Amino acid sequence: QVQLVESGGGLVQAGGSLRLSCAASGRSFSTYIMGWFRQPPGKEREFVARIGSGAYTDSVEGRFTISRDNAKNMVYLQMNNLKSEDTAVYYCAASTIWGTRKYEYAYWGQGTQVTVSS
């Protein structure tokens, strides 16, 4: 089992950058496949990025980068050139399979709000 806590959200102007962090606790963090999801206002939670080559949703490809530091039990989401449509609550999630669907992720953080002003 793993516990996840996100941080780093906030208000940023369009074109700006933010780095989200996800601190994990629990055993065997390095064995989990980590991902980021987001839930825009009034919409369903959607996949953003997953550790592993090429695993980004089209709308963030080239602007967002996911990374992890197993020594620190951390996962990051670097977000550049932010757009108003990136406004959402962002969630860190952990899975035991290489998935991009929210039901494939068993563990979730509480979320962090990202608001991009135009």
Side-chain angles (χ1 to χ4, degrees):
Q1 195 169 7
V2 63
Q3 293 79 42
L4 305 170
V5 178
E6 304 94 336
S7 62
L11 174 64
V12 63
Q13 288 188 330
S17 298
L18 278 177
R19 188 176 83 153
L20 304 183
S21 299
C22 174
S25 59
R27 295 183 175 181
S28 303
F29 166 73
S30 62
T31 67
Y32 287 95
I33 295 143
M34 302 301 297
W36 285 94
F37 288 74
R38 66 186 179 187
Q39 187 162 10
K43 296 184 179 181
E44 295 289 320
R45 195 171 300 188
E46 62 185 21
F47 169 77
V48 175
R50 187 204 68 210
I51 289 289
S53 59
Y56 295 93
T57 193
D58 288 347
S59 63
V60 309
E61 184 79 51
R63 299 189 297 122
F64 290 13
T65 303
I66 186 172
S67 61
R68 73 188 298 167
D69 184 338
N70 287 335
K72 296 181 179 179
N73 279 15
M74 296 292 293
V75 180
Y76 305 98
L77 185 68
Q78 177 67 43
M79 306 186 295
N80 298 327
N81 190 22
L82 283 159
K83 304 176 180 181
S84 57
E85 52 263 42
D86 295 318
T87 294
V89 177
Y90 283 72
Y91 297 89
C92 176
S95 175
T96 57
I97 60 175
W98 293 94
T100 60
R101 296 176 175 84
K102 53 188 176 184
Y103 66 80
E104 294 172 321
Y105 286 74
Y107 305 103
W108 294 84
Q110 82 291 348
T112 185
Q113 176 71 47
V114 172
T115 303
V116 183
S117 63
S118 56

